[in-house]
Amino acid sequence: MADIQTFTARNRRTDYNGDDPFVPAPVTRFTGAELKAAPAPLPSTPPGPFGDLSRAPASEILRIIERATKGRPNPGRRRKAVQRTFSLLEEMPGDTWQERWLASGFDDEGAESVRVLAREGDPVDSADLIAGIKLAFCLRAIRPSISGFRANKFLDYPQRFRELQPDPLLEKFFAAADAFDVHHMHRARAQFDLTVALTTGGIALEDLTPSALLHFGME
């Protein structure tokens, strides 16, 4: 599919209601339209729910996570996960967490999961590494490629991402997706795909264009 660059709609389309971007307007006919797949431009100020954490000490990132998840169960496990993951990243060359992530090789095409760094025969350590890198993605301290993201399996990524993004538009999207009369698996998949598109694209929902969403789907 790598050589497919456009999507052409010839018979109909669904416009969006101007008052609510997630409520489809009535279907209308039109002569034709062409949508080119292209990633969304990176914003001049990347979205960061807690500011620019690219060079923040691991201890500061831990404090942010503890404040943001106060009241949630298992704070000790979460603390351990963050400390374990960021201590390994600190061993990689680079001045920012993004540079260290890229240097690690885990962002490459066909890369393995960060689980391979776990202590042999220690499933808890393996789970901690996944939990720690998930939080790094959600906080926008690291922007993974699609390959780098997909190498790791996050069962609750949309919920954690949503929790750490103070974005009213994203909340509105989640509510609209939950309200659709389709199987819950389809609603969950829509929420998952959208949050991954925002994570790997380094953008907020307001910057996600149709062309960028098509590009994400093709990639």
Side-chain angles (χ1 to χ4, degrees), residues 95-112:
D95 296 324
T96 66
W97 296 115
Q98 181 69 18
E99 290 174 355
R100 294 171 186 134
W101 168 252
L102 295 176
S104 73
F106 287 109
D107 204 56
D108 298 345
E109 184 73 29
E112 295 183 278

Side-chain angles (χ1 to χ4, degrees), residues 107-194:
D107 204 56
D108 298 345
E109 184 73 29
E112 295 183 278
S113 167
V114 295
R115 288 182 184 273
V116 300
L117 296 178
R119 301 181 187 95
E120 186 175 358
D122 190 342
V124 174
D125 190 43
S126 176
D128 285 344
L129 287 171
I130 289 293
I133 205 65
K134 175 176 62 179
L135 288 167
F137 292 170
C138 288
L139 287 174
R140 312 283 195 151
I142 293 172
R143 179 169 71 90
S145 65
I146 294 176
S147 295
F149 186 99
R150 285 174 58 85
N152 303 282
K153 306 303 179 186
F154 307 121
L155 297 180
D156 59 349
Y157 190 80
Q159 291 71 35
R160 299 290 78 80
F161 182 85
R162 174 190 187 183
E163 182 180 68
L164 293 174
Q165 312 295 312
D167 185 346
L169 189 59
L170 186 62
E171 289 296 324
K172 199 168 188 177
F173 170 81
F174 268 77
D178 286 335
F180 270 103
D181 186 20
V182 296
H183 194 279
H184 72 88
M185 288 180 59
H186 300 306
R187 296 195 296 267
R189 183 68 197 202
Q191 293 167 345
F192 178 81
D193 283 342
L194 182 94

Side-chain angles (χ1 to χ4, degrees), residues 1 3-4 23 32 35-36 42 48 55 59 69 99-100 103 105 115 120 127 132 150 173 175 178 182 184 194 198-199:
M1 294 180 63
D3 59 342
I4 299 175
V23 176
L35 181 63
K36 293 186 176 181
L42 287 175
R55 289 180 166 81
S59 57
T69 60
E99 290 174 355
R100 294 171 186 134
R115 288 182 184 273
E120 186 175 358
R150 285 174 58 85
F173 170 81
D178 286 335
V182 296
H184 72 88
L194 182 94
L198 300 184
T199 300

